[in-house]
Every structure is written in structure tokens, then in C-alpha cells.
Amino acid sequence: MVLVRYGTMQDRTTVYRDIFMASPQAMAIFDADGRLVETNAAFKALLETRHIVCHPDMTVSHFVSSEVWHAPVLLLSGCGPGSVSCSYLISSPDGQNVDLQLRTMENGDSIVTLSDASEEAADRARLRDLIATRTQQLIASEERLSLIANEVPAGIAHIDKDFTILYANTRFARAYGITPAQMIGKNAYDILHPHTMEQSSRFFEQARRGMVVDFEMRVELPEQKFKDVRTLLRPEKPSVGDVIGFYLVSIDVTRRKATMRALMQSQKMDALGRMASGISHDFNNLLTIILGNLLPLTERPDCDGITEDFLMPAISAARRGSALTKRLVSLARREQFDARPTDIGEAIREIYSLLQSSVPSTLTINLRQTAALPSAVIDRAQFEMAILNLVLNARDATDGRGQIDITLGTYTLPPAEAEVSRLPAGNYISLSIRDNGCGMSEDLTEKIFEPFFTSKKGAGSGLGLSMVYGFVEQSNGTIHVNSRLGQGSEFTILLPSVDLAPEAYSAPLLPDISEPLPMEPPQNGTALGLALLVEDDADVRRALCRKITSFGLNVLEAANAQDALDVLGLVQGITAVISDLDMPGDMNGIALAHYLKNAHPDLHVVLMSGKPAHLHQDIWPADVPFLKKPFSKEELIETFAPLTSTPATSHTPSEDLFAK
């Protein structure tokens, strides 16, 4: 690098002027009076492209005017009091913009510099377009997010650390009967129910401390509405610093929990039904033994002294046990269900007088029908029993004072409710029974349909509402209860109308048993024939033998089907076979009956069981009557009536009986 040293001021001035003139930056100098003093080549070249001519009399104020440039001259900055520089933008219609900078020196001279601002203006235009585009994209994104937030099946809110609501979507605000705009800026304690805040405050506090929280609870909403809600809390925490708030997402799980409760209730009832079916068999066998031994004692002349005081109460208790067993197995859905199209309104009106006579005069029963009703496919007898049970429960809940409202109408079950009830959507008949009695707590309403559960102290078997539940379920309907302590209870039953019922209605599951005139036992001591009793329980067999022989049949015994076939192969003259359904071995009573009806059609075959009659008709032998244990002597006589009207053909053993 070579340093050139100029000795005189004149030399330095010459150098500065040469630099000024050769500079690529367009520059001009105006004196303290504002008149043009000097311009460089770049300045002149730029003005020539704009067809502007400079003359010595041009002042600086005139130079920055739109009159010279034939275009708008925009002041960008400066030119205020005490300012030493100003910035202008000369905006040309053709887009060739010019940047003009004016700087005032200490001696009063002014230096003007010109720069081509077209590229800069283009950059600014591109920047403006980019900002506008990004702004529109941001607005569209916010609109999409807002749409999503408002349409998702959840309540969403943004809450700061002081519990001020910063954001709420439509669903969250609608739950409290207001709009999001009315909710934003309010404190959560002013919006949410005090009970909700009390139960959830500890979870909110955990979220304020930076924890991720999930919990479920029942929240109370305006107008005494309740919902089961799962809530997710996520803390809002900047990259550096403390938690400044949290986000809240609430999901309504009321329907899901109702579905789960209904499923669990259904599974519980099914399990209890299967259990009841098994218990009833053993229980009815015990009752058969008890009654079979007690009843003959009442006919002995030497027992007159103890019959009324001891035997009759015991027999009555055994028969009540038999009735209780029948009620128990009915809720197992094993009993015969004779479903037919039924006019519900007519059925209610027919038992209305019975209902009134079942309650005291201080209790009023009001019957109201709100619309013409289609028919429903139900078992009318079980329907009437269900209504009677509900009315008697209402009587007890009111202590026999007040009123019971029975309302009939139609109801269209929407898909959402149908999903919860696991029923097809469509038209249903609605039957509600409401009382103004003591009501029930929420915990109690969840248990009332369970077998043997009762809230009546010292009374009630706990099977009434279970039977109602079983009837409704068999009818492909649903039942629910709405009750609060001190405000009465309302039971609502939905029964499907005929358009939702199967085309073919189920006939009785067992063949109809004819009802001949009761047969009296022979008075001359002659026997009606020889019967074979097939029963695996020795005590039951002994009691039944005594009962069968009492009206003129001689009895042979067998413990199972194979023994019965062996006896039939060895003994001639057997006219009747009475067999239990369930027996040990490879052949049960049904299979034995089929075999006997095919191999020996002249035999009079009777089946009996302590279990409910749940077999399908297509596997039941034709023309085979059924006796439900424990059965009375009269029922047994009626079952054997054909032996008195048609002479029985004696059975002859055949080799095929020994094939097994």
C-alpha cells in the first residue's frame, strides 16, 4: 500500500473533487442559499433517464418537488425541527422509483444523493404481498382451528393461573347456557357450579403446578342437569418460566357410562337368571319331597289333631316356596313367553279397576293417554303383572296417600338413545308410572332391579321389580327410573310397536296340554295300569311313587334312562312312563321321550322337571305333557286322563331296547 501525501490544501481539494465526480453514487451539492452548486456524472446520468434538466438557478426545495420529477415525492423521514437529514421516495408510474436523501452540513451546504429504489420497492411490494398472503393463511388457519374446536365432541377452554377464562369453544360455553364471548374474561368460579369447582379444585391446582391431569367426575350444570365428564388438564408453560395457565378438555362420557351400566346390568341379570335356573331344579325337588310326604298325612284319620296346627301351615309354606321359585325363574327368561300383538291402552283400561281396588281410597290413580297407540307384541299376562307390581310399589312409596299418574303415549327412539339401550331406533309405546312418594337416592336406583334387593323393611321378596325388568327385556323394550329423594319416582317403559316386532310371533315354547275333566281315582280298588317312574333322586322318587300309587297306578322305579330301557325290556304291561328331564348318563328325559314315542307309540309318556320350561318346541316330543315340580295330585290326575279314555296296549319287550 502506497501512501500519497499532499502538501497543500489545493492538492487535497483537487483530489476530493475528483473522487466526487467519479463516484457511482449520484450526488449534487447545494449551497447555504439552497442553490445548485455542483453535480457529478452519475447524478446527471440518472436525471437524463428521467428527462430532467438541471440549471444553476434550481433550488433544493424545487428539486425535491413533484413538479420537477413529474411524479409523487413522498417524505419518508426527517425534515423536522433540528433535523439534518431527510429521506424521500419518488414514486414513478412506470415503477422506476428513486430514493432521495438530503443531508445538511455544518456550513449550511446540502448534499443530495439519488439511488435507484426500483428493486427495493419491488422487495417491499413482495414483502407486502407475502405479509398479506401469510395473514390470509393465518386467518384461514384460525378459522379452521375454530371450526374444529367448535365441532369436536368435547368442551375446550384456556384458563390462566388466576382461573380467568381466556378461550372457550362453543360446546363448553353452551353447556352453561351462554356463548363463548360471554364466557371469555370471566373467572371460572363465576361460571362453573360451586359443587364442580369444589370437586375439581385439587386437579386444577395440580395443573397449575405443571402436572398433566386426567380425571372423571359428575358435574352439575344449570337447571339441575348432571353429566358424567372426563376432563384432561394440560399446563401452559413457556420454554423458560413458571406455568402461566392450563388448557382444559372435557369429554361427555354420560352415554358411554350409561351403556356400560346397561351392559353390566344385563350381564348381571343373565348370570342371576342362569343361577336361578339351576337352583330352582334342586329347590323344586326338595319341595316335591316335602309335599309328597306331608299331603298323605292329612288323609290319615289319626292325624286330625295335628293337621290344622302343624301339617297345613307346613304345606302352605311349601306351596309359597313353590310360588317363589316360579317368580324367581321367570326373571331368568326361561318361562314360557306367549307374545302376541296387544292393544296396550285396552289392557291398561281392563286392569284399571283391579289397580284401584289394590290401593287405599286415600291414594288416587290417574290414567291418561296422549295419543292413539299402535299395538305392541307382548305377553299380556306378564304385562298386567308388571303394571300391578309397579303400582303396588308406588302405593308403598306414598304410604297410601297422594296420587299415581299412569301416562300412555308414543315415542320415537332416536339413534343415539337406541345405541345406549341397545335397541333398534323407531316407534315405541311409552308407559310411565309416576308417584309423589318418598323417592330414591341415586345409589338406590341403580340396585332396584336386582333380584332379592328390597328397601322395604321387614316386607317384600325383592323380586317384583326384577320380574318387571325381565318382562320388559323379553318384550325387546327398555325401562328406566327417574327419582330423587323427597320428589317421587317415575318408571318409564318403552315397548316396541308392531312395526319393530318380528314378522312371526313366538308361540308357546311347550306344546299345549289338553285340559280334560279331572279324573277321580278308582273307587273299586282296580289299578289303571303299570307306570315306570324315571327319577335320579331317591327321595323325590319315593315321594312321587306314593303320589302316583294313590290314584290307582302301580309303579316301577328307574334311576336313569338306561335303567328305564332295561326295565322296559324285561317287564311287560307298562302303560305309562314318567321321566325327569335332567338325569345322569348319555340320555336325558327329552331323548328318552323321543325314543319311546318312536319305538312304542302306545306308551303314555310324561315329562317333569323342577327347572323352568325353556326348551324349544322343535326339540320337544309331540303330544308329551309336562309337569312342573312340585305338582299337585289334581295336576297328576289330569295328565293321566288319556289312560281312562283310550285302552292302553301292553308293551312287549323287543330286542332293540338292549341295543345300547
Side-chain angles (χ1 to χ4, degrees):
M1 181 176 179
V2 179
L3 239 283
V4 180
R5 183 177 181 85
Y6 297 95
T8 65
M9 179 62 70
Q10 184 177 359
D11 293 335
R12 288 196 298 271
T13 301
T14 300
V15 173
Y16 291 154
R17 189 175 187 283
D18 290 342
I19 294 173
F20 172 77
M21 295 301 295
S23 173
Q25 176 69 57
M27 292 186 292
I29 300 174
F30 292 82
D31 62 15
D33 295 330
R35 296 186 180 277
L36 182 61
V37 176
E38 189 69 75
T39 62
N40 67 357
F43 188 87
K44 292 176 181 179
L46 192 149
L47 292 184
E48 286 178 1
T49 62
R50 298 296 181 121
H51 306 290
I52 299 173
V53 179
C54 289
H55 51 84
D57 296 332
M58 180 179 289
T59 63
V60 66
S61 59
H62 183 241
F63 181 74
V64 299
S65 67
S66 59
E67 180 182 349
V68 173
W69 292 93
H70 306 291
V73 179
L74 305 177
L75 175 63
L76 301 181
S77 64
C79 293
S83 176
V84 297
S85 64
C86 299
S87 179
Y88 297 89
L89 176 64
I90 302 169
S91 178
S92 176
D94 59 3
Q96 299 298 317
N97 299 325
V98 176
D99 178 54
L100 188 152
Q101 299 290 328
L102 174 63
R103 182 175 181 81
T104 303
M105 310 300 289
E106 291 182 1
N107 61 358
D109 291 347
S110 299
I111 298 177
V112 174
T113 60
L114 300 177
S115 302
D116 187 353
S118 301
E119 194 65 32
E120 182 182 349
D123 290 342
R124 283 198 295 267
R126 285 193 295 270
L127 183 59
R128 284 195 301 269
D129 293 342
L130 180 61
I131 292 173
T133 301
R134 294 294 175 85
T135 301
Q136 291 298 324
Q137 292 175 347
L138 181 60
I139 293 173
S141 177
E142 289 181 348
E143 289 176 348
R144 285 194 297 270
L145 290 175
S146 178
L147 177 63
I148 294 172
N150 287 323
E151 292 299 326
V152 295
I156 302 174
H158 182 198
I159 302 175
D160 68 10
K161 63 179 182 179
D162 297 321
F163 293 105
T164 301
I165 300 174
L166 305 178
Y167 168 81
N169 71 342
T170 302
R171 186 178 292 267
F172 188 85
R174 188 169 54 205
Y176 294 92
I178 55 179
T179 64
Q182 293 172 316
M183 180 172 281
I184 294 174
K186 300 288 184 63
N187 194 278
Y189 281 91
D190 298 329
I191 299 296
L192 276 63
H193 193 276
H195 177 72
T196 301
M197 291 301 299
E198 179 183 355
Q199 296 294 320
S200 58
S201 59
R202 60 190 179 96
F203 300 111
F204 290 163
E205 187 60 34
Q206 291 174 1
R208 289 205 309 170
R209 295 178 181 179
M211 298 177 61
V212 174
V213 183
D214 294 349
F215 65 95
E216 282 191 16
M217 63 175 292
R218 169 158 285 196
V219 300
E220 185 170 352
L221 301 174
E223 300 179 1
Q224 294 185 333
K225 293 181 180 179
F226 293 87
K227 284 185 178 294
D228 293 311
V229 173
R230 182 187 179 192
T231 302
L232 292 77
L233 302 179
R234 298 297 181 264
E236 181 188 13
K237 186 176 182 180
S239 57
V240 178
D242 297 331
V243 175
I244 61 175
F246 56 88
Y247 298 95
L248 179 151
V249 178
S250 293
I251 303 171
D252 186 356
V253 295
T254 307
R255 185 180 301 169
R256 177 178 64 82
K257 295 190 73 172
T259 303
M260 292 302 298
R261 282 196 296 267
L263 178 61
M264 292 178 64
Q265 179 73 3
S266 176
Q267 292 173 341
K268 182 189 298 182
M269 295 298 291
D270 185 61
L272 288 170
R274 289 195 299 269
M275 180 188 70
S277 176
I279 291 175
S280 65
H281 178 263
D282 297 332
F283 192 52
N284 281 326
N285 277 342
L286 295 176
L287 292 174
T288 300
I289 297 171
I290 294 171
L291 290 173
N293 286 282
L294 290 178
L295 287 172
L297 293 177
T298 62
E299 300 174 0
R300 294 177 55 175
D302 57 338
C303 292
D304 290 343
I306 63 172
T307 297
E308 184 174 353
D309 294 334
F310 297 99
L311 295 180
M312 295 311 296
I315 292 172
S316 177
R319 286 174 174 164
R320 285 200 303 273
S322 176
L324 182 62
T325 305
K326 290 181 180 179
R327 295 176 65 189
L328 175 62
V329 298
S330 69
L331 63 93
R333 298 177 62 184
R334 302 291 197 267
E335 285 290 357
Q336 189 168 316
F337 190 71
D338 187 11
R340 303 179 186 276
T342 304
D343 185 335
I344 298 295
E346 177 190 2
I348 288 288
R349 288 189 291 272
E350 283 194 8
I351 65 170
Y352 184 62
S353 58
L354 173 62
L355 298 177
Q356 287 184 313
S357 64
S358 302
V359 300
S361 59
T362 53
L363 183 61
T364 304
I365 300 179
N366 301 316
L367 179 61
R368 186 168 66 98
Q369 183 172 326
T370 61
L373 302 179
S375 295
V377 182
I378 60 170
D379 184 313
R380 182 159 179 164
Q382 292 196 27
F383 170 74
E384 293 174 352
M385 182 60 66
I387 300 305
L388 181 60
N389 270 319
L390 290 173
V391 170
L392 293 180
N393 271 6
R395 177 201 64 186
D396 297 338
T398 58
D399 288 332
R401 301 178 183 276
Q403 67 180 38
I404 301 173
D405 296 321
I406 303 177
T407 305
L408 290 167
T410 57
Y411 183 74
T412 301
L413 189 67
E417 293 184 27
E419 180 184 355
V420 173
S421 304
R422 296 188 299 163
L423 295 174
N427 298 321
Y428 286 75
I429 298 168
S430 172
L431 168 64
S432 71
I433 298 179
R434 179 177 179 81
D435 65 70
N436 59 351
C438 59
M440 295 176 286
S441 65
E442 182 180 344
D443 293 339
L444 192 59
T445 58
E446 295 180 356
K447 301 177 181 178
I448 55 174
F449 295 117
E450 296 179 5
F452 304 113
F453 177 82
T454 178
S455 59
K456 302 174 183 178
K457 297 180 179 180
S461 64
L463 291 177
L465 289 178
S466 297
M467 293 178 64
V468 175
Y469 181 91
F471 158 73
V472 173
E473 192 176 44
Q474 273 188 289
S475 303
N476 298 316
T478 184
I479 181 172
H480 59 86
V481 57
N482 183 21
S483 181
R484 298 189 70 178
L485 282 174
Q487 299 184 19
S489 302
E490 181 177 15
F491 288 83
T492 302
I493 297 174
L494 294 182
L495 298 172
S497 61
V498 289
D499 60 331
L500 287 175
E503 294 182 2
Y505 307 115
S506 57
L509 299 179
L510 297 178
D512 291 333
I513 300 175
S514 58
E515 298 182 0
L517 293 175
M519 180 182 69
E520 294 295 333
Q523 302 297 323
N524 56 5
T526 61
L528 294 175
L530 184 61
L532 174 60
L533 174 62
V534 188
E535 167 64 56
D536 59 300
D537 190 305
D539 291 332
V540 175
R541 224 173 31 245
R542 188 177 302 110
L544 291 177
C545 279
R546 188 182 298 112
K547 182 176 292 187
I548 295 171
T549 56
S550 67
F551 67 92
L553 276 171
N554 295 318
V555 181
L556 298 175
E557 300 179 23
N560 54 58
Q562 186 58 55
D563 290 349
L565 294 178
D566 292 342
V567 172
L568 285 167
L570 296 173
V571 179
Q572 298 185 10
I574 296 176
T575 58
V577 175
I578 312 166
S579 175
D580 193 23
L581 282 179
D582 295 311
M583 291 180 296
D586 297 332
M587 182 180 291
N588 62 12
I590 298 293
L592 177 63
H594 274 295
Y595 181 86
L596 295 178
K597 295 301 290 183
N598 291 330
H600 309 287
D602 294 330
L603 276 176
H604 185 67
V605 180
V606 178
L607 290 176
M608 61 183 178
S609 178
K611 284 188 176 181
H614 60 279
L615 297 172
H616 296 290
Q617 187 175 0
D618 56 354
I619 67 169
W620 192 267
D623 303 324
V624 174
F626 176 77
L627 285 172
K628 176 70 179 301
K629 296 177 184 176
F631 45 84
S632 65
K633 184 177 180 180
E634 289 74 17
E635 291 173 326
L636 187 62
I637 291 173
E638 290 180 4
T639 303
F640 282 91
L643 292 181
T644 63
S645 57
T646 304
T649 302
S650 297
H651 164 65
T652 301
S654 60
E655 294 182 0
D656 64 324
L657 293 178
F658 298 94
K660 193 172 179 180

